Amino acid sequence: MNDLDLLTAITVFVLSVLVGVEVISKVPATLHTPLMSGSNAVHGIVVIGAMLIAAESHTRLGYVLAFVAMVFGAMNVVGGYVVTDRMLEMFRTTPRDGGKDKG
């Protein structure tokens, strides 16, 4: 990797952080959980990217960073589905008498 590639990668990273912070700061608190639970596809892409990094890595540090990225990405995917399930549970209707008709 030459200096220009590194500078380009750092520039893309910094710009993506700035855009991410700007976008997230504009989301109202009432929409934050539904939007985050709906972003499982993004976290899946993080896991795939970490796998690609692990495949291209030739150093121990690269393997460790890829593993950490895969763990965090997988935790985000699972957490997103847990949050979505909890949100959907709030909208389910259940009979108050346990399903038994007292008629």
Side-chain angles (χ1 to χ4, degrees):
M1 180 184 266
N2 62 26
D3 291 338
L4 186 59
D5 290 340
L6 180 61
L7 183 62
T8 302
I10 290 173
T11 303
V12 169
F13 177 74
V14 169
L15 288 174
S16 65
V17 167
L18 292 174
V19 169
V21 168
E22 186 67 23
V23 168
I24 293 298
S25 67
K26 303 292 184 202
V27 174
T30 55
L31 292 178
H32 190 266
T33 301
L35 288 175
M36 291 307 292
S37 66
S39 67
N40 285 330
V42 174
H43 301 303
I45 292 170
V46 169
V47 173
I48 292 171
M51 289 178 187
L52 292 173
I53 290 171
E56 295 293 322
S57 180
H58 300 294
T59 64
R60 184 170 295 197
L61 178 63
Y63 291 132
V64 170
L65 289 175
F67 176 75
V68 169
M70 281 187 264
V71 168
F72 285 149
M75 286 182 350
N76 278 331
V77 170
V78 171
Y81 283 114
V82 168
V83 168
T84 301
D85 186 54
R86 286 186 181 179
M87 285 181 357
L88 292 175
E89 188 69 33
M90 293 185 330
F91 296 106
R92 290 194 181 117
T93 57
T94 56
R96 292 185 182 189
D97 60 358
K100 299 176 185 168
D101 189 15
K102 293 183 179 181

